[in-house]
Amino acid sequence: MKPFTFWHKDHAEAVTAEAQNLLRKRLPLAARRRFLTRGLTLGGLSLLSGCVIDDDTTAEAALTRISRINDWVQGRLFDPSQLAPTYPDSMIARPFPFNAFYGEDQVPRIDAGDFRLEVSGLVARKQPWSLADLRTLPRYSQVTRHICVEGWSAIGKWAGPRLSDFLRMIGADLSARYVGVHCADNYYTSIDMATALHPQTLIALDWDDRPLPPKYGFPMKLRIPTKLGYKNPKHIQAIFVSNTFNRGYWEDQGYNWFGGS
Ligand SMILES: Nc1nc2c(c(=O)[nH]1)N[C@H]1C(S)=C(S)[C@@H](COP(=O)(O)O)O[C@H]1N2
Ligand SMILES: [Mo]
């Protein structure tokens, strides 16, 4: 099989032009989401690269490359000033669905008093943060829709400081590429800096105006309404800023890394 050649800038630009055309035609959101998550297809890739994708290993490698192109396209299309839709309180789902890679009986229990958020990587101030420290930052509250790739979505109300305010407080290098997190249940993920600085990306401490219940991620989760459910990590223990690409629990099993909705 020939090496892939389409990663060349011209091809990448062609992919973006196609994406922008689709968006200009005001594709319905569902179709746009389908394009962004699946984007270039195996057939399309076969045409572009001129290679035959006829076995599982080749297909797997091809899909990984498609996914990385889709990351790149989504990164290019991401508009830091475009806000995710917000909803009235009357639309909040109560109870809100629970989801994790384990059952509700195994939700981690974290002691509020002992909790210290660890901070590392490209940041000037690495002192850990207590919950009380986090609550000194300005609080934002928003009612947004959480979309899980497993086929459900629900509207919820999350509140807490903006991740951008926190990153500024710790003297993070805001030109770094990634913000990664590690969670108490060993879940992990990482996001692009543009999304980390988005005004709706919150360090959520509250759900429905009360401290996050354990099942929704106590003591803190990242609430990112511009991304799919699996990019909303719960039970966060550590945050790091870096230029090294670091994937995530579901991303390592084939989910798209950018994971925008
Ligand atoms: N720590 C941790 N965070 C996680 C997960 C997980 O298993 N562990 N699952 C993700 C997925 S796939 C979804 S849909 C949401 C579910 O959040 P909820 O229980 O508040 O609905 O959490 C996300 N964050
Ligand atoms: Mo999910």
Side-chain angles (χ1 to χ4, degrees):
M1 177 177 162
K2 280 194 297 181
F4 290 100
T5 51
F6 65 87
W7 190 216
H8 187 268
K9 182 180 153 293
D10 294 346
H11 291 295
E13 291 296 341
V15 173
T16 327
E18 188 189 345
Q20 280 169 354
N21 263 334
L22 283 168
L23 293 178
R24 234 178 269 123
K25 283 186 210 140
R26 290 172 198 281
L27 265 202
L29 192 63
R32 200 178 336 163
R33 197 170 282 143
R34 219 176 304 123
F35 175 80
L36 287 175
T37 47
R38 298 211 200 103
L40 195 56
T41 60
L42 267 187
L45 180 69
S46 199
L47 281 176
L48 272 177
S49 62
C51 54
V52 186
I53 296 165
D54 58 359
D55 64 84
D56 283 357
T57 319
T58 320
E60 199 55 50
L63 285 169
T64 303
R65 283 185 164 81
I66 293 171
S67 197
R68 290 300 292 147
I69 292 181
N70 288 342
D71 286 341
W72 184 86
V73 172
Q74 289 181 78
R76 287 287 301 262
L77 289 176
F78 183 75
D79 175 355
S81 67
Q82 193 174 333
L83 298 181
T86 55
Y87 303 88
D89 280 19
S90 60
M91 289 179 75
I92 297 170
R94 298 186 186 93
F96 191 82
F98 161 82
N99 195 28
F101 64 93
Y102 44 80
E104 213 174 310
D105 52 326
Q106 290 178 58
V107 165
R109 300 278 157 166
I110 286 126
D111 186 273
D114 291 346
F115 175 76
R116 296 289 180 278
L117 174 67
E118 289 165 38
V119 175
S120 65
L122 304 172
V123 306
R125 290 174 283 281
K126 295 187 174 148
Q127 291 90 337
W129 284 59
S130 69
L131 274 177
D133 296 336
L134 287 168
R135 287 202 184 268
T136 62
L137 297 175
R139 178 182 185 270
Y140 295 84
S141 179
Q142 67 204 16
V143 179
T144 53
R145 184 184 292 278
H146 170 115
I147 301 165
C148 174
V149 289
E150 286 172 57
W152 57 270
S153 80
I155 291 171
K157 184 184 199 172
W158 290 270
R162 282 183 171 152
L163 180 58
S164 63
D165 285 347
F166 176 76
L167 291 173
R168 288 190 179 95
M169 287 298 292
I170 61 175
D173 175 358
L174 302 181
S175 69
R177 297 173 69 146
Y178 310 109
V179 175
V181 299
H182 186 85
C183 308
D185 55 2
N186 284 326
Y187 195 83
Y188 59 103
T189 192
S190 55
I191 59 169
D192 52 294
M193 183 60 80
T195 299
L197 298 177
H198 187 277
Q200 287 174 309
T201 297
L202 301 183
I203 292 181
L205 302 174
D206 298 327
W207 191 85
D208 207 8
D209 293 325
R210 280 181 294 274
L212 274 182
K215 61 179 177 175
Y216 302 147
F218 187 84
M220 59 170 278
K221 69 173 270 176
L222 278 187
R223 175 59 195 142
I224 312 181
T226 57
K227 286 201 191 292
L228 294 166
Y230 64 92
K231 306 275 327 177
N232 285 249
K234 308 191 281 186
H235 316 290
I236 295 176
Q237 272 183 331
I239 291 192
F240 58 92
V241 175
S242 107
N243 281 315
T244 309
F245 185 55
N246 189 281
R247 292 162 57 86
Y249 181 89
W250 287 115
E251 295 88 329
D252 281 339
Q253 297 174 55
Y255 283 30
N256 173 254
W257 175 76
F258 196 89
S261 62

PDB file of all heavy atoms in Angstrom, residues 129-150:
ATOM      1  N   TRP A 129      -5.360  23.383  44.383  1.00  0.00           N
ATOM      2  CA  TRP A 129      -6.529  24.203  44.709  1.00  0.00           C
ATOM      3  C   TRP A 129      -7.551  23.392  45.501  1.00  0.00           C
ATOM      4  O   TRP A 129      -7.943  22.300  45.078  1.00  0.00           O
ATOM      5  CB  TRP A 129      -7.193  24.686  43.418  1.00  0.00           C
ATOM      6  CG  TRP A 129      -6.457  25.811  42.756  1.00  0.00           C
ATOM      7  CD1 TRP A 129      -5.164  25.792  42.322  1.00  0.00           C
ATOM      8  CD2 TRP A 129      -6.977  27.110  42.457  1.00  0.00           C
ATOM      9  NE1 TRP A 129      -4.843  27.003  41.762  1.00  0.00           N
ATOM     10  CE2 TRP A 129      -5.931  27.828  41.835  1.00  0.00           C
ATOM     11  CE3 TRP A 129      -8.210  27.728  42.651  1.00  0.00           C
ATOM     12  CZ2 TRP A 129      -6.100  29.146  41.406  1.00  0.00           C
ATOM     13  CZ3 TRP A 129      -8.367  29.030  42.218  1.00  0.00           C
ATOM     14  CH2 TRP A 129      -7.322  29.741  41.607  1.00  0.00           C
ATOM     15  N   SER A 130      -8.019  23.982  46.611  1.00  0.00           N
ATOM     16  CA  SER A 130      -9.111  23.349  47.354  1.00  0.00           C
ATOM     17  C   SER A 130     -10.433  23.770  46.714  1.00  0.00           C
ATOM     18  O   SER A 130     -10.469  24.684  45.875  1.00  0.00           O
ATOM     19  CB  SER A 130      -9.088  23.799  48.820  1.00  0.00           C
ATOM     20  OG  SER A 130      -9.455  25.171  48.880  1.00  0.00           O
ATOM     21  N   LEU A 131     -11.528  23.143  47.138  1.00  0.00           N
ATOM     22  CA  LEU A 131     -12.838  23.542  46.620  1.00  0.00           C
ATOM     23  C   LEU A 131     -13.165  24.987  47.009  1.00  0.00           C
ATOM     24  O   LEU A 131     -13.720  25.742  46.217  1.00  0.00           O
ATOM     25  CB  LEU A 131     -13.921  22.605  47.160  1.00  0.00           C
ATOM     26  CG  LEU A 131     -14.136  21.332  46.352  1.00  0.00           C
ATOM     27  CD1 LEU A 131     -15.174  20.450  47.036  1.00  0.00           C
ATOM     28  CD2 LEU A 131     -14.578  21.678  44.929  1.00  0.00           C
ATOM     29  N   ALA A 132     -12.760  25.362  48.232  1.00  0.00           N
ATOM     30  CA  ALA A 132     -13.007  26.741  48.683  1.00  0.00           C
ATOM     31  C   ALA A 132     -12.240  27.725  47.788  1.00  0.00           C
ATOM     32  O   ALA A 132     -12.770  28.783  47.429  1.00  0.00           O
ATOM     33  CB  ALA A 132     -12.590  26.897  50.141  1.00  0.00           C
ATOM     34  N   ASP A 133     -11.004  27.363  47.417  1.00  0.00           N
ATOM     35  CA  ASP A 133     -10.220  28.227  46.514  1.00  0.00           C
ATOM     36  C   ASP A 133     -10.961  28.405  45.189  1.00  0.00           C
ATOM     37  O   ASP A 133     -11.076  29.512  44.662  1.00  0.00           O
ATOM     38  CB  ASP A 133      -8.849  27.609  46.192  1.00  0.00           C
ATOM     39  CG  ASP A 133      -7.947  27.468  47.419  1.00  0.00           C
ATOM     40  OD1 ASP A 133      -8.149  28.218  48.391  1.00  0.00           O
ATOM     41  OD2 ASP A 133      -7.044  26.597  47.379  1.00  0.00           O
ATOM     42  N   LEU A 134     -11.462  27.273  44.649  1.00  0.00           N
ATOM     43  CA  LEU A 134     -12.149  27.339  43.349  1.00  0.00           C
ATOM     44  C   LEU A 134     -13.389  28.220  43.432  1.00  0.00           C
ATOM     45  O   LEU A 134     -13.738  28.926  42.490  1.00  0.00           O
ATOM     46  CB  LEU A 134     -12.528  25.931  42.872  1.00  0.00           C
ATOM     47  CG  LEU A 134     -11.366  25.071  42.384  1.00  0.00           C
ATOM     48  CD1 LEU A 134     -11.805  23.611  42.213  1.00  0.00           C
ATOM     49  CD2 LEU A 134     -10.805  25.606  41.069  1.00  0.00           C
ATOM     50  N   ARG A 135     -14.044  28.194  44.599  1.00  0.00           N
ATOM     51  CA  ARG A 135     -15.274  28.978  44.744  1.00  0.00           C
ATOM     52  C   ARG A 135     -15.021  30.477  44.905  1.00  0.00           C
ATOM     53  O   ARG A 135     -15.968  31.259  44.907  1.00  0.00           O
ATOM     54  CB  ARG A 135     -16.125  28.436  45.893  1.00  0.00           C
ATOM     55  CG  ARG A 135     -16.787  27.097  45.536  1.00  0.00           C
ATOM     56  CD  ARG A 135     -18.011  26.805  46.390  1.00  0.00           C
ATOM     57  NE  ARG A 135     -18.571  25.482  46.101  1.00  0.00           N
ATOM     58  CZ  ARG A 135     -19.536  25.254  45.195  1.00  0.00           C
ATOM     59  NH1 ARG A 135     -20.078  26.253  44.517  1.00  0.00           N
ATOM     60  NH2 ARG A 135     -19.963  24.028  44.978  1.00  0.00           N
ATOM     61  N   THR A 136     -13.750  30.882  45.036  1.00  0.00           N
ATOM     62  CA  THR A 136     -13.478  32.327  45.083  1.00  0.00           C
ATOM     63  C   THR A 136     -13.514  32.941  43.683  1.00  0.00           C
ATOM     64  O   THR A 136     -13.606  34.158  43.548  1.00  0.00           O
ATOM     65  CB  THR A 136     -12.088  32.624  45.704  1.00  0.00           C
ATOM     66  OG1 THR A 136     -11.082  32.030  44.865  1.00  0.00           O
ATOM     67  CG2 THR A 136     -11.973  32.092  47.117  1.00  0.00           C
ATOM     68  N   LEU A 137     -13.448  32.110  42.633  1.00  0.00           N
ATOM     69  CA  LEU A 137     -13.473  32.643  41.254  1.00  0.00           C
ATOM     70  C   LEU A 137     -14.912  32.998  40.867  1.00  0.00           C
ATOM     71  O   LEU A 137     -15.857  32.393  41.377  1.00  0.00           O
ATOM     72  CB  LEU A 137     -12.905  31.606  40.276  1.00  0.00           C
ATOM     73  CG  LEU A 137     -11.432  31.228  40.475  1.00  0.00           C
ATOM     74  CD1 LEU A 137     -11.029  30.103  39.518  1.00  0.00           C
ATOM     75  CD2 LEU A 137     -10.538  32.443  40.260  1.00  0.00           C
ATOM     76  N   PRO A 138     -15.102  33.984  39.964  1.00  0.00           N
ATOM     77  CA  PRO A 138     -16.461  34.348  39.549  1.00  0.00           C
ATOM     78  C   PRO A 138     -17.230  33.133  39.053  1.00  0.00           C
ATOM     79  O   PRO A 138     -16.684  32.291  38.342  1.00  0.00           O
ATOM     80  CB  PRO A 138     -16.229  35.345  38.404  1.00  0.00           C
ATOM     81  CG  PRO A 138     -14.839  35.850  38.583  1.00  0.00           C
ATOM     82  CD  PRO A 138     -14.065  34.773  39.286  1.00  0.00           C
ATOM     83  N   ARG A 139     -18.512  33.053  39.476  1.00  0.00           N
ATOM     84  CA  ARG A 139     -19.337  31.888  39.161  1.00  0.00           C
ATOM     85  C   ARG A 139     -20.250  32.190  37.975  1.00  0.00           C
ATOM     86  O   ARG A 139     -20.911  33.231  37.938  1.00  0.00           O
ATOM     87  CB  ARG A 139     -20.170  31.532  40.389  1.00  0.00           C
ATOM     88  CG  ARG A 139     -21.128  30.363  40.239  1.00  0.00           C
ATOM     89  CD  ARG A 139     -21.904  30.194  41.551  1.00  0.00           C
ATOM     90  NE  ARG A 139     -22.769  29.030  41.583  1.00  0.00           N
ATOM     91  CZ  ARG A 139     -24.041  29.012  41.190  1.00  0.00           C
ATOM     92  NH1 ARG A 139     -24.588  30.114  40.706  1.00  0.00           N
ATOM     93  NH2 ARG A 139     -24.754  27.905  41.275  1.00  0.00           N
ATOM     94  N   TYR A 140     -20.280  31.283  37.040  1.00  0.00           N
ATOM     95  CA  TYR A 140     -21.172  31.388  35.885  1.00  0.00           C
ATOM     96  C   TYR A 140     -22.116  30.194  35.898  1.00  0.00           C
ATOM     97  O   TYR A 140     -21.705  29.087  36.232  1.00  0.00           O
ATOM     98  CB  TYR A 140     -20.380  31.389  34.568  1.00  0.00           C
ATOM     99  CG  TYR A 140     -19.499  32.608  34.433  1.00  0.00           C
ATOM    100  CD1 TYR A 140     -18.228  32.638  35.018  1.00  0.00           C
ATOM    101  CD2 TYR A 140     -19.944  33.744  33.763  1.00  0.00           C
ATOM    102  CE1 TYR A 140     -17.433  33.767  34.927  1.00  0.00           C
ATOM    103  CE2 TYR A 140     -19.151  34.875  33.664  1.00  0.00           C
ATOM    104  CZ  TYR A 140     -17.896  34.878  34.247  1.00  0.00           C
ATOM    105  OH  TYR A 140     -17.115  36.004  34.157  1.00  0.00           O
ATOM    106  N   SER A 141     -23.368  30.464  35.531  1.00  0.00           N
ATOM    107  CA  SER A 141     -24.362  29.400  35.525  1.00  0.00           C
ATOM    108  C   SER A 141     -24.950  29.312  34.129  1.00  0.00           C
ATOM    109  O   SER A 141     -25.243  30.328  33.505  1.00  0.00           O
ATOM    110  CB  SER A 141     -25.451  29.759  36.545  1.00  0.00           C
ATOM    111  OG  SER A 141     -26.435  28.756  36.550  1.00  0.00           O
ATOM    112  N   GLN A 142     -25.094  28.092  33.607  1.00  0.00           N
ATOM    113  CA  GLN A 142     -25.704  27.984  32.280  1.00  0.00           C
ATOM    114  C   GLN A 142     -26.486  26.686  32.114  1.00  0.00           C
ATOM    115  O   GLN A 142     -26.144  25.654  32.677  1.00  0.00           O
ATOM    116  CB  GLN A 142     -24.663  28.198  31.168  1.00  0.00           C
ATOM    117  CG  GLN A 142     -23.627  27.139  31.076  1.00  0.00           C
ATOM    118  CD  GLN A 142     -22.308  27.591  30.416  1.00  0.00           C
ATOM    119  OE1 GLN A 142     -22.023  28.784  30.257  1.00  0.00           O
ATOM    120  NE2 GLN A 142     -21.489  26.638  30.043  1.00  0.00           N
ATOM    121  N   VAL A 143     -27.581  26.803  31.339  1.00  0.00           N
ATOM    122  CA  VAL A 143     -28.457  25.656  31.066  1.00  0.00           C
ATOM    123  C   VAL A 143     -28.210  25.260  29.608  1.00  0.00           C
ATOM    124  O   VAL A 143     -28.523  26.014  28.686  1.00  0.00           O
ATOM    125  CB  VAL A 143     -29.930  26.030  31.296  1.00  0.00           C
ATOM    126  CG1 VAL A 143     -30.841  24.839  30.991  1.00  0.00           C
ATOM    127  CG2 VAL A 143     -30.132  26.494  32.738  1.00  0.00           C
ATOM    128  N   THR A 144     -27.596  24.085  29.433  1.00  0.00           N
ATOM    129  CA  THR A 144     -27.193  23.666  28.088  1.00  0.00           C
ATOM    130  C   THR A 144     -27.541  22.197  27.868  1.00  0.00           C
ATOM    131  O   THR A 144     -27.875  21.485  28.811  1.00  0.00           O
ATOM    132  CB  THR A 144     -25.670  23.858  27.889  1.00  0.00           C
ATOM    133  OG1 THR A 144     -24.989  23.197  28.953  1.00  0.00           O
ATOM    134  CG2 THR A 144     -25.293  25.337  27.853  1.00  0.00           C
ATOM    135  N   ARG A 145     -27.419  21.771  26.623  1.00  0.00           N
ATOM    136  CA  ARG A 145     -27.742  20.388  26.290  1.00  0.00           C
ATOM    137  C   ARG A 145     -26.478  19.532  26.232  1.00  0.00           C
ATOM    138  O   ARG A 145     -25.513  19.882  25.561  1.00  0.00           O
ATOM    139  CB  ARG A 145     -28.470  20.307  24.943  1.00  0.00           C
ATOM    140  CG  ARG A 145     -28.926  18.891  24.602  1.00  0.00           C
ATOM    141  CD  ARG A 145     -29.550  18.806  23.223  1.00  0.00           C
ATOM    142  NE  ARG A 145     -30.825  19.512  23.125  1.00  0.00           N
ATOM    143  CZ  ARG A 145     -31.997  19.005  23.521  1.00  0.00           C
ATOM    144  NH1 ARG A 145     -32.062  17.802  24.052  1.00  0.00           N
ATOM    145  NH2 ARG A 145     -33.095  19.706  23.392  1.00  0.00           N
ATOM    146  N   HIS A 146     -26.514  18.426  26.961  1.00  0.00           N
ATOM    147  CA  HIS A 146     -25.428  17.443  26.963  1.00  0.00           C
ATOM    148  C   HIS A 146     -25.801  16.371  25.940  1.00  0.00           C
ATOM    149  O   HIS A 146     -26.889  15.819  25.994  1.00  0.00           O
ATOM    150  CB  HIS A 146     -25.313  16.862  28.382  1.00  0.00           C
ATOM    151  CG  HIS A 146     -24.398  15.674  28.513  1.00  0.00           C
ATOM    152  ND1 HIS A 146     -23.245  15.728  29.254  1.00  0.00           N
ATOM    153  CD2 HIS A 146     -24.476  14.424  28.020  1.00  0.00           C
ATOM    154  CE1 HIS A 146     -22.646  14.535  29.203  1.00  0.00           C
ATOM    155  NE2 HIS A 146     -23.376  13.733  28.471  1.00  0.00           N
ATOM    156  N   ILE A 147     -24.893  16.091  25.012  1.00  0.00           N
ATOM    157  CA  ILE A 147     -25.173  15.114  23.958  1.00  0.00           C
ATOM    158  C   ILE A 147     -24.205  13.945  24.068  1.00  0.00           C
ATOM    159  O   ILE A 147     -22.989  14.117  23.974  1.00  0.00           O
ATOM    160  CB  ILE A 147     -25.044  15.759  22.557  1.00  0.00           C
ATOM    161  CG1 ILE A 147     -26.020  16.924  22.426  1.00  0.00           C
ATOM    162  CG2 ILE A 147     -25.287  14.711  21.455  1.00  0.00           C
ATOM    163  CD1 ILE A 147     -25.749  17.843  21.257  1.00  0.00           C
ATOM    164  N   CYS A 148     -24.742  12.755  24.321  1.00  0.00           N
ATOM    165  CA  CYS A 148     -23.909  11.559  24.430  1.00  0.00           C
ATOM    166  C   CYS A 148     -23.973  10.793  23.112  1.00  0.00           C
ATOM    167  O   CYS A 148     -25.056  10.617  22.554  1.00  0.00           O
ATOM    168  CB  CYS A 148     -24.387  10.677  25.578  1.00  0.00           C
ATOM    169  SG  CYS A 148     -23.518   9.100  25.659  1.00  0.00           S
ATOM    170  N   VAL A 149     -22.815  10.325  22.657  1.00  0.00           N
ATOM    171  CA  VAL A 149     -22.781   9.581  21.382  1.00  0.00           C
ATOM    172  C   VAL A 149     -23.518   8.253  21.469  1.00  0.00           C
ATOM    173  O   VAL A 149     -23.751   7.608  20.461  1.00  0.00           O
ATOM    174  CB  VAL A 149     -21.340   9.308  20.904  1.00  0.00           C
ATOM    175  CG1 VAL A 149     -20.668  10.583  20.436  1.00  0.00           C
ATOM    176  CG2 VAL A 149     -20.521   8.638  21.982  1.00  0.00           C
ATOM    177  N   GLU A 150     -23.865   7.837  22.689  1.00  0.00           N
ATOM    178  CA  GLU A 150     -24.598   6.582  22.815  1.00  0.00           C
ATOM    179  C   GLU A 150     -26.069   6.754  22.463  1.00  0.00           C
ATOM    180  O   GLU A 150     -26.848   5.805  22.568  1.00  0.00           O
ATOM    181  CB  GLU A 150     -24.442   6.013  24.230  1.00  0.00           C
ATOM    182  CG  GLU A 150     -23.052   5.421  24.457  1.00  0.00           C
ATOM    183  CD  GLU A 150     -22.824   5.036  25.903  1.00  0.00           C
ATOM    184  OE1 GLU A 150     -23.612   4.245  26.434  1.00  0.00           O
ATOM    185  OE2 GLU A 150     -21.862   5.549  26.501  1.00  0.00           O
TER     186      GLU A 150
END
